[in-house]
Amino acid sequence: MLYLIPTPIGNLEDITLRALRLLKEVDLILAEDTRISSVLLSHFDISKRVESYHLKNEHYKTSKIIEKLNNGLTIAMISDAGTPAVSDPGYLLVRHALEAGIKVKCLPGPTALIPAIVQSGIPCDRFIFEGFLPHKKGRINRLKIMAKESRTLVFYESPHKLLKLFEQMIPLFGSERKLAVIKEISKIYEQTFRGTLEEVKSFFEANRPKGEFVIVVEGIKR
């Protein structure tokens, strides 16, 4: 069995009892960054063998992990924070495990996406999760497509690209399009900024962006 286990995105209390039990029971834990995961594991007194599995080594290690699963090991995969495979490593391993006839189970748990959209004040009955936009090639084309979408849009963005995102969006979405920008979900410095694209852009021009951001944008009104 391969388990994908969500880990807290901020407050360590967000982890589930089931996740803790399984992390103590499995034969091996795959971690995106073993140094970051060691903080979580030691906090909950979990002493299991941990191996790194991240974007730079997943193509090399996937076949070896599939072999271990075929040999009867039960393995848990965790990312630095949140649910594996959602803007994090995991998809490749899941695909190959299923192709090999291995059972895969993803636990429900922490993710930045759902809390952000629910507390944004923007309709959350129908939405598109875009995740991180391409850094360069195809970025503007993706925004052009999203600007015409009537459903709510959800993006992830790093602090050093946040202002650039707003500058690129305004000519396409219009300066009056409403959005919510949620910073550091579930952490001590969590904040939500709501307003129009122009208002939010002006705010972050005066206040340097720090931390991790989820951007929730209203869809175009038909």
Side-chain angles (χ1 to χ4, degrees):
M1 175 77 81
L2 171 66
Y3 288 101
L4 284 83
I5 299 182
T7 53
I9 57 177
N11 194 317
L12 292 181
E13 293 179 356
D14 290 342
I15 198 164
T16 67
L17 295 174
R18 185 183 179 200
L20 291 175
R21 176 179 61 81
L22 286 171
L23 287 171
K24 293 176 180 178
E25 291 178 356
V26 297
D27 301 302
L28 172 66
I29 297 173
L30 303 176
E32 185 179 1
D33 187 324
T34 56
R35 295 165 299 180
I36 292 175
S37 296
S38 67
V39 176
L40 173 74
L41 298 175
S42 63
H43 180 83
F44 290 107
D45 199 25
I46 298 169
S47 55
K48 285 288 179 177
R49 187 158 63 94
V50 181
E51 290 185 11
S52 66
Y53 184 87
H54 46 73
L55 291 175
K56 292 183 178 179
N57 72 4
E58 62 178 350
H59 289 277
Y60 163 73
K61 297 196 74 168
T62 294
S63 60
K64 297 180 183 295
I65 295 165
I66 296 299
E67 184 177 350
K68 291 177 181 179
L69 288 161
N70 278 326
N71 288 334
L73 265 65
T74 298
I75 297 176
M77 181 178 183
I78 58 177
S79 57
D80 292 346
T83 301
V86 180
S87 296
D88 277 325
Y91 165 72
L92 186 69
L93 181 58
V94 168
R95 189 184 74 191
H96 283 272
L98 292 172
E99 289 173 353
I102 295 163
K103 291 182 179 179
V104 176
K105 188 174 291 291
C106 180
L107 273 62
T111 176
L113 166 64
I114 299 302
I117 192 170
V118 170
Q119 71 188 43
S120 70
I122 294 171
C124 54
D125 54 334
R126 298 172 69 242
F127 62 88
I128 293 179
F129 174 60
E130 186 67 16
F132 287 99
L133 288 163
H135 293 312
K136 293 181 181 178
K137 187 177 180 181
R139 185 179 176 93
I140 297 299
N141 284 337
R142 289 303 306 163
L143 286 172
K144 285 180 180 178
I145 294 170
M146 293 296 102
K148 299 175 183 177
E149 176 59 54
S150 61
R151 290 169 288 185
T152 295
L153 308 168
V154 187
F155 302 91
Y156 287 169
E157 193 54 276
S158 58
H160 64 281
K161 290 184 178 171
L162 192 67
L163 270 174
K164 179 182 177 182
L165 175 62
F166 299 149
E167 290 167 358
Q168 292 173 328
M169 290 177 76
I170 285 175
L172 303 172
F173 288 70
S175 60
E176 296 303 306
R177 184 78 70 97
K178 293 180 181 178
L179 73 162
V181 181
I182 301 93
K183 166 189 171 183
E184 298 284 82
I185 289 177
S186 188
K187 297 180 182 177
I188 191 169
Y189 295 112
E190 177 178 345
Q191 287 181 287
T192 300
F193 309 91
R194 299 178 180 89
T196 65
L197 265 170
E198 187 60 47
E199 289 169 343
V200 171
K201 174 176 169 288
S202 297
F203 176 85
F204 284 106
E205 285 175 336
N207 300 271
R208 183 182 174 188
K210 294 180 181 179
E212 298 175 338
F213 292 88
V214 183
I215 299 98
V216 182
V217 186
E218 71 174 357
I220 192 169
K221 293 178 180 175
R222 303 296 187 187

